[in-house]
Each structure stands twice: as C-alpha cells, then as structure tokens.
Short mmCIF file of all heavy atoms in Angstrom, two decimals:
data_model
loop_
_atom_site.label_atom_id
_atom_site.label_comp_id
_atom_site.label_asym_id
_atom_site.label_seq_id
_atom_site.Cartn_x
_atom_site.Cartn_y
_atom_site.Cartn_z
N ALA A 1 4.90 -14.20 49.71
CA ALA A 1 5.42 -13.98 48.36
C ALA A 1 6.88 -13.54 48.52
O ALA A 1 7.17 -12.58 49.23
CB ALA A 1 4.62 -12.89 47.65
N VAL A 2 7.78 -14.27 47.88
CA VAL A 2 9.21 -14.05 48.06
C VAL A 2 9.83 -13.55 46.77
O VAL A 2 9.66 -14.16 45.70
CB VAL A 2 9.93 -15.34 48.52
CG1 VAL A 2 11.41 -15.06 48.78
CG2 VAL A 2 9.26 -15.90 49.76
N GLU A 3 10.55 -12.44 46.86
CA GLU A 3 11.25 -11.91 45.70
C GLU A 3 12.62 -12.57 45.59
O GLU A 3 13.37 -12.63 46.55
CB GLU A 3 11.41 -10.39 45.85
CG GLU A 3 12.12 -9.72 44.68
CD GLU A 3 12.25 -8.22 44.86
OE1 GLU A 3 11.53 -7.68 45.72
OE2 GLU A 3 13.09 -7.62 44.17
N ASN A 4 12.95 -13.07 44.38
CA ASN A 4 14.23 -13.75 44.15
C ASN A 4 14.42 -14.85 45.18
O ASN A 4 15.33 -14.81 46.01
CB ASN A 4 15.38 -12.74 44.20
CG ASN A 4 16.69 -13.33 43.74
OD1 ASN A 4 16.73 -14.38 43.11
ND2 ASN A 4 17.79 -12.66 44.09
N ALA A 5 13.58 -15.87 45.12
CA ALA A 5 13.50 -16.87 46.19
C ALA A 5 14.69 -17.81 46.25
O ALA A 5 14.95 -18.40 47.31
CB ALA A 5 12.22 -17.70 46.01
N GLU A 6 15.44 -18.00 45.17
CA GLU A 6 16.52 -18.98 45.16
C GLU A 6 17.89 -18.30 45.21
O GLU A 6 18.16 -17.37 44.44
CB GLU A 6 16.43 -19.84 43.89
CG GLU A 6 17.44 -20.96 43.82
CD GLU A 6 17.27 -21.82 42.58
OE1 GLU A 6 16.18 -22.44 42.45
OE2 GLU A 6 18.19 -21.85 41.74
N ARG A 7 18.75 -18.74 46.12
CA ARG A 7 20.11 -18.21 46.26
C ARG A 7 21.10 -19.37 46.21
O ARG A 7 20.82 -20.45 46.74
CB ARG A 7 20.27 -17.45 47.58
CG ARG A 7 19.22 -16.38 47.80
CD ARG A 7 19.29 -15.25 46.77
NE ARG A 7 18.16 -14.35 46.89
CZ ARG A 7 18.10 -13.35 47.77
NH1 ARG A 7 19.10 -13.16 48.61
NH2 ARG A 7 17.04 -12.58 47.80
N VAL A 8 22.25 -19.14 45.60
CA VAL A 8 23.25 -20.18 45.42
C VAL A 8 24.59 -19.70 45.97
O VAL A 8 25.01 -18.57 45.71
CB VAL A 8 23.40 -20.57 43.94
CG1 VAL A 8 24.51 -21.60 43.75
CG2 VAL A 8 22.08 -21.11 43.40
N SER A 9 25.28 -20.59 46.73
CA SER A 9 26.64 -20.34 47.20
C SER A 9 27.52 -21.46 46.66
O SER A 9 27.18 -22.64 46.78
CB SER A 9 26.69 -20.33 48.73
OG SER A 9 25.86 -19.32 49.26
N ALA A 10 28.66 -21.09 46.05
CA ALA A 10 29.54 -22.10 45.48
C ALA A 10 30.09 -23.03 46.55
O ALA A 10 30.18 -24.24 46.34
CB ALA A 10 30.68 -21.43 44.73
N SER A 11 30.43 -22.48 47.71
CA SER A 11 31.02 -23.31 48.77
C SER A 11 30.85 -22.61 50.11
O SER A 11 30.87 -21.38 50.20
CB SER A 11 32.51 -23.54 48.48
OG SER A 11 33.12 -24.28 49.52
N ILE A 12 30.68 -23.43 51.16
CA ILE A 12 30.68 -22.94 52.54
C ILE A 12 31.69 -23.77 53.31
O ILE A 12 31.53 -24.99 53.43
CB ILE A 12 29.28 -23.05 53.19
CG1 ILE A 12 28.24 -22.29 52.38
CG2 ILE A 12 29.32 -22.53 54.63
CD1 ILE A 12 26.82 -22.40 52.93
N GLN A 13 32.72 -23.13 53.79
CA GLN A 13 33.79 -23.84 54.48
C GLN A 13 33.33 -24.35 55.84
O GLN A 13 32.34 -23.87 56.41
CB GLN A 13 35.01 -22.94 54.64
CG GLN A 13 35.63 -22.50 53.32
CD GLN A 13 36.07 -23.67 52.46
OE1 GLN A 13 36.73 -24.58 52.94
NE2 GLN A 13 35.68 -23.65 51.18
N SER A 14 34.07 -25.31 56.37
CA SER A 14 33.75 -25.88 57.68
C SER A 14 33.76 -24.79 58.75
O SER A 14 34.68 -23.98 58.83
CB SER A 14 34.78 -26.96 58.04
OG SER A 14 34.56 -27.46 59.34
N GLY A 15 32.70 -24.75 59.55
CA GLY A 15 32.59 -23.76 60.62
C GLY A 15 32.14 -22.38 60.16
O GLY A 15 32.01 -21.48 60.99
N ALA A 16 31.88 -22.20 58.86
CA ALA A 16 31.48 -20.89 58.34
C ALA A 16 29.96 -20.80 58.20
O ALA A 16 29.24 -21.80 58.29
CB ALA A 16 32.15 -20.63 56.99
N GLN A 17 29.50 -19.58 57.98
CA GLN A 17 28.06 -19.31 57.85
C GLN A 17 27.83 -18.33 56.71
O GLN A 17 28.60 -17.38 56.52
CB GLN A 17 27.50 -18.74 59.15
CG GLN A 17 26.00 -18.46 59.13
CD GLN A 17 25.52 -17.81 60.41
OE1 GLN A 17 25.71 -16.62 60.64
NE2 GLN A 17 24.89 -18.61 61.28
N VAL A 18 26.78 -18.55 55.95
CA VAL A 18 26.37 -17.64 54.87
C VAL A 18 24.94 -17.20 55.14
O VAL A 18 24.07 -18.04 55.41
CB VAL A 18 26.47 -18.32 53.49
CG1 VAL A 18 25.86 -17.43 52.41
CG2 VAL A 18 27.91 -18.65 53.16
N THR A 19 24.72 -15.87 55.10
CA THR A 19 23.39 -15.31 55.37
C THR A 19 22.83 -14.70 54.09
O THR A 19 23.50 -13.91 53.42
CB THR A 19 23.45 -14.24 56.47
OG1 THR A 19 23.93 -14.85 57.68
CG2 THR A 19 22.08 -13.64 56.72
N ASN A 20 21.61 -15.07 53.77
CA ASN A 20 20.90 -14.53 52.60
C ASN A 20 19.72 -13.70 53.07
O ASN A 20 18.98 -14.10 53.98
CB ASN A 20 20.40 -15.66 51.70
CG ASN A 20 21.54 -16.51 51.15
OD1 ASN A 20 22.21 -16.13 50.21
ND2 ASN A 20 21.75 -17.67 51.76
N THR A 21 19.55 -12.52 52.45
CA THR A 21 18.44 -11.63 52.80
C THR A 21 17.36 -11.70 51.72
O THR A 21 17.65 -11.50 50.53
CB THR A 21 18.93 -10.19 52.96
OG1 THR A 21 19.92 -10.14 53.99
CG2 THR A 21 17.78 -9.27 53.33
N TYR A 22 16.14 -11.98 52.13
CA TYR A 22 15.01 -12.10 51.22
C TYR A 22 13.99 -11.00 51.51
O TYR A 22 13.81 -10.59 52.67
CB TYR A 22 14.32 -13.46 51.37
CG TYR A 22 15.17 -14.65 51.01
CD1 TYR A 22 16.01 -15.25 51.93
CD2 TYR A 22 15.10 -15.20 49.74
CE1 TYR A 22 16.78 -16.35 51.60
CE2 TYR A 22 15.87 -16.31 49.39
CZ TYR A 22 16.71 -16.88 50.33
OH TYR A 22 17.47 -17.97 50.00
N GLN A 23 13.34 -10.52 50.46
CA GLN A 23 12.23 -9.58 50.60
C GLN A 23 10.93 -10.38 50.51
O GLN A 23 10.64 -10.99 49.48
CB GLN A 23 12.28 -8.51 49.53
CG GLN A 23 13.55 -7.66 49.54
CD GLN A 23 13.75 -6.96 50.86
OE1 GLN A 23 12.79 -6.42 51.45
NE2 GLN A 23 14.97 -6.95 51.36
N VAL A 24 10.16 -10.39 51.61
CA VAL A 24 8.94 -11.19 51.67
C VAL A 24 7.74 -10.31 51.98
O VAL A 24 7.87 -9.27 52.64
CB VAL A 24 9.07 -12.32 52.72
CG1 VAL A 24 10.29 -13.17 52.45
CG2 VAL A 24 9.14 -11.74 54.14
N THR A 25 6.58 -10.73 51.51
CA THR A 25 5.33 -10.00 51.77
C THR A 25 4.25 -11.01 52.12
O THR A 25 3.98 -11.94 51.34
CB THR A 25 4.89 -9.18 50.54
OG1 THR A 25 5.95 -8.31 50.14
CG2 THR A 25 3.65 -8.36 50.87
N PHE A 26 3.63 -10.81 53.28
CA PHE A 26 2.50 -11.64 53.70
C PHE A 26 1.20 -10.89 53.45
O PHE A 26 1.08 -9.72 53.82
CB PHE A 26 2.62 -11.98 55.20
CG PHE A 26 3.72 -12.95 55.53
CD1 PHE A 26 4.97 -12.49 55.90
CD2 PHE A 26 3.50 -14.32 55.47
CE1 PHE A 26 5.99 -13.37 56.22
CE2 PHE A 26 4.51 -15.22 55.78
CZ PHE A 26 5.76 -14.74 56.15
N ASP A 27 0.25 -11.58 52.86
CA ASP A 27 -1.06 -10.97 52.62
C ASP A 27 -1.99 -11.12 53.82
O ASP A 27 -2.90 -10.30 54.01
CB ASP A 27 -1.72 -11.60 51.39
CG ASP A 27 -0.97 -11.27 50.10
OD1 ASP A 27 -0.35 -10.19 50.05
OD2 ASP A 27 -1.00 -12.09 49.17
N GLU A 28 -1.79 -12.15 54.61
CA GLU A 28 -2.69 -12.44 55.72
C GLU A 28 -2.00 -12.16 57.06
O GLU A 28 -0.76 -12.18 57.17
CB GLU A 28 -3.13 -13.91 55.68
CG GLU A 28 -3.80 -14.32 54.39
CD GLU A 28 -5.12 -13.61 54.16
OE1 GLU A 28 -5.76 -13.25 55.17
OE2 GLU A 28 -5.52 -13.43 53.00
N THR A 29 -2.81 -11.90 58.08
CA THR A 29 -2.30 -11.68 59.43
C THR A 29 -2.32 -12.99 60.22
O THR A 29 -2.85 -14.00 59.77
CB THR A 29 -3.14 -10.61 60.16
OG1 THR A 29 -4.48 -11.09 60.27
CG2 THR A 29 -3.12 -9.30 59.39
N GLY A 30 -1.76 -12.95 61.43
CA GLY A 30 -1.76 -14.13 62.28
C GLY A 30 -0.52 -14.97 62.07
O GLY A 30 0.51 -14.52 61.55
N GLU A 31 -0.57 -16.24 62.51
CA GLU A 31 0.56 -17.14 62.37
C GLU A 31 0.71 -17.59 60.91
O GLU A 31 -0.22 -18.11 60.32
CB GLU A 31 0.39 -18.37 63.28
CG GLU A 31 0.57 -18.08 64.75
CD GLU A 31 0.65 -19.36 65.57
OE1 GLU A 31 0.41 -20.44 65.00
OE2 GLU A 31 0.96 -19.27 66.77
N GLN A 32 1.91 -17.36 60.37
CA GLN A 32 2.21 -17.74 59.00
C GLN A 32 3.51 -18.56 58.99
O GLN A 32 4.26 -18.58 59.97
CB GLN A 32 2.37 -16.50 58.12
CG GLN A 32 1.16 -15.57 58.11
CD GLN A 32 -0.05 -16.20 57.46
OE1 GLN A 32 0.07 -16.89 56.45
NE2 GLN A 32 -1.23 -16.00 58.05
N THR A 33 3.75 -19.24 57.88
CA THR A 33 4.89 -20.14 57.79
C THR A 33 5.87 -19.70 56.71
O THR A 33 5.47 -19.31 55.61
CB THR A 33 4.43 -21.58 57.48
OG1 THR A 33 3.57 -22.03 58.52
CG2 THR A 33 5.62 -22.52 57.38
N LEU A 34 7.17 -19.76 57.06
CA LEU A 34 8.25 -19.62 56.10
C LEU A 34 8.94 -20.97 55.98
O LEU A 34 9.27 -21.60 57.00
CB LEU A 34 9.26 -18.56 56.55
CG LEU A 34 8.86 -17.09 56.38
CD1 LEU A 34 9.90 -16.20 57.04
CD2 LEU A 34 8.72 -16.75 54.91
N GLY A 35 9.16 -21.43 54.76
CA GLY A 35 9.81 -22.72 54.55
C GLY A 35 11.08 -22.56 53.73
O GLY A 35 11.07 -21.93 52.68
N ALA A 36 12.19 -23.15 54.22
CA ALA A 36 13.47 -23.07 53.52
C ALA A 36 13.90 -24.47 53.11
O ALA A 36 13.92 -25.39 53.92
CB ALA A 36 14.53 -22.44 54.42
N THR A 37 14.25 -24.62 51.84
CA THR A 37 14.75 -25.89 51.31
C THR A 37 16.20 -25.73 50.90
O THR A 37 16.52 -24.86 50.08
CB THR A 37 13.92 -26.35 50.10
OG1 THR A 37 12.55 -26.49 50.51
CG2 THR A 37 14.43 -27.68 49.57
N LEU A 38 17.07 -26.55 51.49
CA LEU A 38 18.51 -26.44 51.26
C LEU A 38 19.02 -27.70 50.58
O LEU A 38 18.79 -28.82 51.05
CB LEU A 38 19.25 -26.23 52.59
CG LEU A 38 20.77 -26.12 52.51
CD1 LEU A 38 21.17 -24.83 51.81
CD2 LEU A 38 21.39 -26.18 53.91
N THR A 39 19.71 -27.51 49.47
CA THR A 39 20.36 -28.61 48.75
C THR A 39 21.85 -28.34 48.69
O THR A 39 22.27 -27.21 48.36
CB THR A 39 19.80 -28.74 47.33
OG1 THR A 39 18.38 -28.94 47.40
CG2 THR A 39 20.42 -29.91 46.60
N TYR A 40 22.67 -29.36 49.00
CA TYR A 40 24.12 -29.17 49.02
C TYR A 40 24.81 -30.51 48.80
O TYR A 40 24.19 -31.58 48.87
CB TYR A 40 24.57 -28.58 50.36
CG TYR A 40 24.23 -29.43 51.56
CD1 TYR A 40 25.12 -30.36 52.07
CD2 TYR A 40 22.99 -29.31 52.18
CE1 TYR A 40 24.79 -31.15 53.16
CE2 TYR A 40 22.65 -30.09 53.28
CZ TYR A 40 23.55 -31.01 53.76
OH TYR A 40 23.23 -31.80 54.83
N LYS A 41 26.10 -30.44 48.54
CA LYS A 41 26.91 -31.64 48.37
C LYS A 41 27.98 -31.66 49.47
O LYS A 41 28.68 -30.67 49.69
CB LYS A 41 27.59 -31.65 47.00
CG LYS A 41 28.45 -32.90 46.75
CD LYS A 41 29.11 -32.85 45.38
CE LYS A 41 28.08 -33.08 44.30
NZ LYS A 41 28.73 -33.20 42.95
#
C-alpha cells in the first residue's frame, strides 16, 4: 500500500537524477514486489 503513489517532475536534465521518497506498507511477509511505472517525453 503506497501513500501518494504518483510523483511528477517537470524536467530532468541530461546526466541528472531525481529521487522520490514513498511511504509503503506491506501486509504480508516474505518476498514481495514493488513496481514502478515511468512515463516521460
């Protein structure tokens, strides 16, 4: 369960990096999956 799951950056310059911090909660133990979907122009 992800709080505020969608983040938007107006622009990322060549060679630059943007880091987003998410608050997540897993209900189950063991191996779990996080999936990130990135859309850009």
Side-chain angles (χ1 to χ4, degrees):
V2 183
E3 181 180 343
N4 189 16
E6 184 177 298
R7 307 296 171 83
V8 177
S9 300
S11 177
I12 303 178
Q13 297 301 312
S14 176
Q17 182 184 77
V18 172
T19 298
N20 298 281
T21 301
Y22 296 86
Q23 300 301 318
V24 305
T25 304
F26 289 93
D27 293 330
E28 304 294 332
T29 62
E31 288 191 352
Q32 303 293 320
T33 300
L34 283 173
T37 301
L38 179 68
T39 302
Y40 60 93
K41 181 181 288 187

